[in-house]
């Protein structure tokens, strides 16, 4: 596990919900359970984040590969 108290996780879920990044949905079959999913805005921001991260990684590879070739 993450070794953090459940209260910390719940606090962060509240922050994400307040920012409109996630949605909480009560489970109709089990009142003790709540489903958490990304909102449309949260999804778009995650897609953008991963696209930017992948782009940064590709740029790093372009720098590292020529350096590795020269080292051999």
């Amino acid at each position: 596990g993450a070794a953090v108290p459940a209260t910390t996780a719940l606090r962060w879920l509240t922050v994400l919900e307040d920012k409109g990044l996630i949605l909480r949905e009560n489970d109709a079959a089990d009142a003790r359970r709540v489903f958490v999913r990304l909102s449309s805005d949260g999804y778009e921001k995650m897609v953008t984040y991963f696209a930017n991260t992948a782009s940064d990684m590709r740029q790093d590879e372009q720098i590292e590969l020529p350096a590795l070739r020269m080292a051999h």
Side-chain angles (χ1 to χ4, degrees):
V4 295
T7 54
T8 299
L10 292 171
R11 186 171 37 252
W12 278 107
L13 286 173
T14 298
V15 169
L16 294 171
E17 186 177 32
D18 289 347
K19 291 179 179 283
L21 299 174
I22 64 165
L23 299 171
R24 294 188 205 205
E25 298 174 357
N26 294 324
D27 183 349
D30 186 345
R32 298 168 296 176
R33 187 164 51 183
V34 176
F35 296 109
V36 177
R37 66 182 178 90
L38 287 173
S39 66
S40 296
D41 188 39
Y43 177 80
E44 290 299 323
K45 289 184 179 188
M46 290 300 296
V47 168
T48 300
Y49 169 78
F50 284 116
N52 290 338
T53 300
S55 176
D56 291 346
M57 291 173 70
R58 282 192 297 275
Q59 289 175 2
D60 290 347
E61 287 175 4
Q62 291 172 1
I63 293 167
E64 292 173 12
L65 289 177
L68 288 174
R69 282 189 219 126
M70 289 176 30
H72 291 298

